[in-house]
Every structure is written in C-alpha cells, then in structure tokens.
C-alpha cells in the first residue's frame, strides 16, 4: 500500500505531526531543497502542548491493556509486516529523503534498504527473545532474568540519513515493547511522518509511533525534559550531545548518544593499494562526506604517501556532483548553503595553515550554482595540530597526513577527541587485528571502511558518545533488566520462630 500524505514531489509537501494516529499542527517551517533552492516542504513547528500530546499518546498506548498484554511474537509479526510495507514504499521514501537531504536517489534507496534490514533484524530479535533462566543459583531456587520495556522513549534524528537512522532505532524500541516519540531534523522531517503512518498500516497500534516535527531547542528539548519519557536515543552533533547529556543528568534519565566522528583510514605500505585507494575514496566521499563514520583522515605510511595520495586524487577527480535525480551523480548537495560555506571555510583555513590543496576546494558555478554543492576535496600535508585533522567538517573533504611506524600510526589515529570508527589497510592480518585493538573507537574496520550490518551494534567512545544502536545491543538499550526469584523449597530464616 502507499499512503496519501505527505507524498507528492511535484507540490510543496505539507507535513504535520503524527500524534496518536492523527495529523496535528500547522506546517510553517520552510524547507528548500538543497540541490535547487526550491521550496519543497513545510513542516509543523511543535509547541510545548503538541510535545505533551505526543508523549501522552505514547503513554496511553504503552499503559493500555492491549499493549501490556502483547508478547514478543506479536511484536515480531508487526515488524515483519512493517518491513514488507516499507519495501512497497521504498521508492517514495527514497525520493523524499533524496530531495530533502540533497543526495543522489540511488544512494537514498540504499539507505532505505538498510533501514528495512534493521526492521527485519529487530523482528528476528523479538521473535527469538528468551530472557535468561538460572535454575541452579542455589538449592530450591529458580530465577528468571527478563528485559522489560523502558516505557515511552524519545528518538531524536539528524538530517544526513533521515529514514535510515530512524529505522536504526525505532524497530528495536518497538521490539522491546516501548512506545515512541520521534523528532526528526528540522531540515528533513517528511520521511519520519510517512514511516509512522506506514507503521500503523502494518497494524502497529496508534500511539506507538508518534512524530513531532520542529526545532531541537523546543521539540527535541521538550521530549528530553518530559517526565514521562524514560529514555532518549539521540544522534547528532557532539555539541548538542553535551546539552542532551546535561539535561538528562539533572533528571537521572538515561540517554544514548551517537555523536560526531573523525574517522581515520590508515594505509600501510604492505596494503593492497588499489583496494585501499577505492576504500579511501568511498569512505571519505559517500553521502558527500556528511556521515559520522566518513573516513575523513587518510593516514599513510611515509614510503608510499606520495604514490598513494596520487592514486586517491585520480579516483576522486572522477566523481561527479549532481542533483538527486541525476543517475550519474556520485555526490549530491550539502544540507544547506551555510553548511556548504562552513565546509569551504574549513578548507580555506587548512590551506592557509600550510596544507596542500590536491583536489577541489572551489564552490562550483554553472548549472549547480543554485544548490549547496561542494566538490570532493583533498588536502595533503595536514598537520596533526590543525583543525582539519581534529575537527569534524561533515563535507567531502579528505585530510592526508603521514606516519612512520605502528606506534606513530596508533598515536595519530587516537589523537582526536572522537572515537566512532577507524579503518586499517594491511595485508598482515596480525598487524590489522593487533593494531586495530589499540584504536579508540566503537567500530574498527580492517581492509574495509564505512561498512556494517544490522546485526552489529553501532556507537562510539570519547566525544563520539555512548550507548549503541542496532543489533542486540541496540535492542537492549530500550530495556531494563529485571530478575524474578522463585523459591521452590523451604528456606530456613534466621528469624524463624521469633
Ligand atoms: O546537529 P544537531 P545539526 C554534526 C555535523 C554537523 C553538525 C551540526 O558535524 O555539521 O553536527 O548539525 C536535534 N535537545 N552531525 O545542527 O544540532 C535537532 O533538531 C534535543 C553529526 O543538524 O546535533 C536534530 O533533530 N534535540 C551527526 C538533531 O538534534 C536537539 C548527524 C541533530 O541536531 C537539541 C548530524 C536539543 N537541545 C550532524 N538541539 C551524526 N552523528 O551522524 C538540537 N536537537
């Protein structure tokens, strides 16, 4: 089935909140497509009352007898059906995200498919959830450990992979038995509402998936501070993540924080250089570099640095910028013109600080000048003390530095405050594994990068946050562990007979 609203790509989409199975609110926040500058959507701007209403709807559903009596198998069936319905609507969801993010449609389709794989993974977890039994803790004693739903949870979503990141959280929350209030980014809100409507088409009860659109400091903060919200899973910037953590700490509320990154791609002289060069280009420039796991630092062994940098530059020079509908496009537009300008300023500053511009660095004119485009850019000779080495740029900008030996490589990789993901390229697997384990990150890749699977938990350390999305660990985030202890034989109390 396809849903009725908001869907058209020819008209301006009018996007309202989705609360308790109904559309609510007046769309007022303008969204201009970053690739063309055209007005494509208006999103409702949540008031405090609308946030309250969404949390109340989620709470009413959570506390209902029907929801409380629902077993894991039933939730698995809902999610399996949800995955089918999302698959039927994948093209429409991809078109919406491609247009609002500015990315090529082919890549947006891949995002939706990964999101759907998460829904199936969560269904599998729900179907096979068993809890734990402890038959032998002591004589005459049986104990059961079970994971209980936290209750109403908030999901705060960024703009770089709107549907995919929502689906990397939502189905695991539902599998656990939580009900949800989702806050998409104020730049990319449409697909969240469509996904919520599709959840109900899959017979997931109204009130289980609510969406409030609007700004972070109002809608996002409102969800976070709400006394009836037990947990918030947040993906976004480290700066906002600190605010979220501080707010949550005042209430002793749990939060999961998937924040920024500055992933390194370390290439040893013994690596398969052709594959490593392909990986370096893919890892840095996929999704225009607007990815928290983008491998935006290329750290190359000195003996091959010049040759390898040339291999990467020649590949990156062939990447094409284009609008979402352009089938030849490898990179789309950045999220909005001010962000494009910030990316350009970061490159200019790196060059002024002594970096060598190997490729790109010029905002394109011509037919792409209406959009927020920025070309694949490579700066070599980047000093580890410079901002380009240590700060997240979130654009198609690759910083190249060199290392001499293993210890040097490890020190350079770990030198930033971030710790989300890093990659090593070597044909010596012992080195890959042993050095990989010395890198500070939630994900380490050896001879691959920007890779993953719904079965694998995803998240960071240090300033990249804490908590995990996806897989069993992602599911566990939405639960708390309860033990149930049953005495099956007489226990002699020290107070017996008193
Ligand atoms: O992020 P924010 P922005 C990084 C990237 C990017 C920068 C800024 O470097 O350039 O962040 O992007 C909501 N309480 N990443 O400004 O502010 C907000 O409405 C609750 C990395 O978009 O972190 C949006 O829904 N919520 C990242 C979401 O948080 C709040 C992906 C993210 O917004 C809030 C995106 C508050 N006080 C950007 N303030 C990644 N990890 O992949 C804002 N929000």
């Amino acid at each position: 089935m396809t849903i009725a609203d908001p869907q058209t790509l020819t008209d301006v989409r009018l996007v309202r909140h989705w609360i308790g199975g109904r559309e609510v609110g007046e769309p007022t926040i303008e969204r201009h497509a970053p690739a063309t500058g055209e007005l494509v959507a208006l999103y409702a701007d949540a008031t405090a009352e609308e946030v309250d209403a969404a949390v109340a709807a989620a709470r009413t559903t959570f506390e209902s007898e029907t929801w409380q009596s629902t077993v894991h198998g039933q939730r698995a069936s809902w999610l399996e059906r949800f995955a089918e319905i999302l698959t039927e609507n994948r093209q429409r969801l991809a078109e919406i995200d491609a247009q609002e993010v500015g990315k090529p449609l082919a890549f947006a389709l891949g995002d939706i498919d990964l999101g759907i794989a998460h829904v199936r993974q969560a269904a599998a977890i729900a179907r096979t959830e068993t809890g734990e039994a402890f038959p032998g803790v002591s004589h005459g004693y049986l104990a059961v450990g079970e994971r209980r739903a936290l209750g109403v949870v908030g999901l705060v979503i960024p703009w770089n992979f709107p549907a995919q990141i929502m689906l990397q959280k939502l189905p695991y929350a539902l599998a656990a038995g939580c009900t949800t209030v989702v806050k998409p980014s104020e730049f990319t809100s449409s697909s969240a509402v469509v996904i919520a409507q599709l959840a109900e088409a899959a017979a997931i009860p109204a009130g289980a998936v609510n969406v409030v659109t609007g700004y972070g400091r109002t809608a996002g903060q409102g969800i976070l501070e709400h006394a009836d919200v037990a947990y918030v899973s947040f993906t976004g910037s480290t700066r906002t993540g600190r605010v979220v953590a501080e707010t949550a700490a005042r209430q002793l509320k749990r939060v999961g924080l998937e924040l920024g990154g500055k992933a390194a791609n370390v290439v040893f002289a013994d690596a398969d250089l052709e594959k490593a060069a392909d990986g370096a280009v893919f890892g840095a420039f996929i999704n225009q570099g607007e990815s928290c796991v983008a491998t935006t630092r290329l750290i190359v062994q000195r003996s091959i640095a010049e040759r390898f940098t040339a291999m990467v530059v020649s590949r990156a020079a062939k990447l094409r910028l284009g609008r979402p509908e352009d089938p030849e496009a490898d990179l789309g537009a950045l999220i909005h013109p001010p962000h494009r300008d910030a990316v350009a300023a970061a490159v200019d500053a790196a060059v002024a600080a002594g970096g060598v511009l190997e490729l790109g660095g010029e905002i394109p004119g011509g037919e792409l000048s209406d959009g927020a485009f920025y070309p694949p850019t490579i700066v070599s000779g980047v000093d580890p003390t410079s901002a380009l080495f240590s700060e997240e740029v979130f654009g198609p900008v690759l910083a190249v530095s060199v290392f001499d030996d293993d210890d040097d490589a490890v020190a350079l990789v770990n030198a930033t405050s971030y710790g989300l993901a890093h990659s090593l390229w070597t044909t010596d697997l012992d080195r890959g594994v042993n050095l990989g384990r010395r890198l500070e990150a939630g994900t380490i890749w050896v001879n691959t990068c920007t890779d993953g699977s719904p079965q694998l938990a995803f998240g960071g350390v240090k300033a990249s946050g804490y908590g995990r999305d996806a897989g069993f660990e992602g599911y566990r985030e939405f639960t708390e562990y309860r033990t149930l202890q049953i005495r099956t034989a007489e226990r002699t109390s020290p107070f017996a007979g008193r």
Side-chain angles (χ1 to χ4, degrees):
M1 56 112 19
T2 51
I3 48 95
D5 187 47
Q7 64 167 349
T8 57
L9 289 179
T10 44
D11 302 328
V12 173
R13 278 187 292 282
L14 299 179
V15 180
R16 298 178 170 83
H17 317 300
W18 185 253
I19 299 177
R22 287 190 315 113
E23 285 187 298
V24 177
E26 278 318 306
T28 54
I29 300 175
E30 291 188 1
R31 178 57 179 153
H32 294 260
T36 60
E38 286 166 340
L39 180 69
V40 289
L42 289 171
Y43 311 137
D45 180 4
T47 60
E49 292 71 33
E50 287 164 343
V51 171
D52 270 351
V55 176
R59 185 177 166 174
T60 303
T61 298
F62 182 77
E63 289 177 346
S64 68
E65 213 181 305
T66 329
W67 188 267
Q68 286 298 323
S69 60
T70 300
V71 294
H72 280 90
Q74 174 65 59
R75 295 200 284 270
S77 299
W78 286 338
L79 291 170
E80 285 154 5
R81 181 76 190 115
F82 187 27
E84 286 167 18
I85 292 179
L86 286 165
T87 305
E88 288 160 20
N89 287 271
R90 70 190 273 279
Q91 180 75 22
R92 178 146 305 284
L93 285 165
E95 284 175 6
I96 290 171
D97 271 6
Q99 187 187 51
E100 292 184 9
V101 181
K103 67 174 81 184
L105 180 60
F107 292 96
L109 277 165
D111 298 348
I112 305 299
D113 290 343
L114 180 52
I116 294 169
H118 280 291
V119 179
R120 294 193 195 284
Q121 179 64 27
I125 291 171
R127 193 157 295 291
T128 53
E129 169 65 289
T130 54
E132 291 177 296
F134 300 86
V137 275
S138 71
H139 174 68
Y141 192 33
L142 170 71
V144 171
E146 54 180 1
R147 289 180 193 85
R148 305 281 302 162
L150 288 177
V152 176
V153 298
L155 311 178
V156 179
I157 312 297
W159 44 258
N160 51 344
F161 298 96
Q164 183 193 310
I165 293 180
M166 177 170 167
L167 292 174
Q168 162 181 316
K169 299 177 188 290
L170 174 69
Y172 299 99
L174 295 172
C178 295
T179 59
T180 63
V181 180
V182 181
K183 211 300 277 174
S185 165
E186 55 273 35
F187 302 114
T188 55
S189 301
S190 300
S191 58
V193 177
V194 177
I195 289 170
Q197 293 171 339
L198 294 176
E200 276 170 47
I204 296 174
V209 186
N210 304 280
V211 178
V212 288
T213 62
Y215 295 104
R217 64 181 180 278
T218 49
Q221 193 81 20
I223 293 167
L224 183 64
E225 288 179 351
H226 204 294
D228 289 341
V229 173
Y231 168 85
V232 171
S233 176
F234 171 87
T235 299
S237 63
T238 295
R239 185 178 42 80
T240 303
R242 288 187 210 281
V243 175
V244 169
E246 281 168 18
T247 310
R250 281 198 290 277
Q251 299 177 46
L252 284 183
K253 184 172 290 184
R254 282 166 52 176
V255 285
L257 301 173
E258 199 270 274
L259 309 176
K262 193 76 194 178
N265 223 344
V266 183
V267 182
F268 288 87
D270 70 358
D272 178 328
L273 296 187
E274 296 293 330
K275 287 188 183 147
D278 287 343
V281 172
F282 174 74
F285 300 120
I286 183 82
N287 212 53
Q288 309 76 239
E290 292 174 317
S291 162
C292 48
V293 292
T295 45
T296 53
R297 287 186 297 152
L298 181 59
I299 301 180
V300 195
Q301 197 148 24
R302 193 176 301 277
S303 59
I304 55 157
E306 206 172 309
R307 179 158 66 102
F308 188 73
T309 304
M311 289 169 72
V312 174
V313 169
S314 102
R315 282 163 165 79
K318 295 186 189 113
L319 296 178
R320 261 188 62 124
L321 289 181
R323 299 213 168 95
E325 65 280 7
D326 177 352
E328 304 292 314
D330 300 303
L331 282 77
L334 298 181
I335 192 69
H336 44 57
H339 183 57
R340 186 263 324 272
D341 295 344
V343 169
V347 171
D348 293 347
V351 173
V356 178
L357 189 64
E358 302 274 357
L359 182 72
E362 283 278 325
I363 294 175
E367 59 168 20
L368 295 182
S369 55
D370 289 342
F373 288 92
Y374 196 77
T377 295
I378 300 179
V379 182
S380 67
V382 173
D383 191 84
T385 58
S386 74
L388 195 63
F389 186 87
S390 54
E391 288 172 16
E392 184 173 54
V393 174
F394 230 59
V397 182
L398 179 61
V400 186
S401 313
V402 294
F403 73 91
D404 290 302
D405 58 24
D406 290 5
D407 288 345
D408 193 19
V410 171
L412 283 173
V413 171
N414 292 340
T416 79
S417 59
Y418 294 111
L420 195 54
H422 295 304
S423 164
L424 288 177
W425 297 81
T426 174
T427 47
D428 178 350
L429 257 195
D430 285 349
R431 169 190 268 153
V433 171
N434 293 326
L435 286 193
R437 288 191 166 135
R438 292 172 60 193
L439 305 185
E440 296 164 350
T443 298
I444 304 297
W445 295 296
V446 178
N447 294 329
T448 182
C449 63
T450 317
D451 216 339
S453 153
Q455 283 154 298
L456 300 177
F458 175 66
V461 300
K462 305 200 296 185
S464 294
Y466 43 77
R468 294 291 180 265
D469 277 357
F472 188 75
E473 291 297 323
Y475 163 81
R476 198 152 68 171
E477 290 277 317
F478 295 106
T479 66
E480 61 198 352
Y481 194 86
R482 181 167 76 181
T483 58
L484 181 68
Q485 304 171 13
I486 307 151
R487 184 146 286 283
T488 55
E490 204 59 31
R491 177 190 194 192
T492 311
S493 161
F495 302 141
R498 301 262 177 99

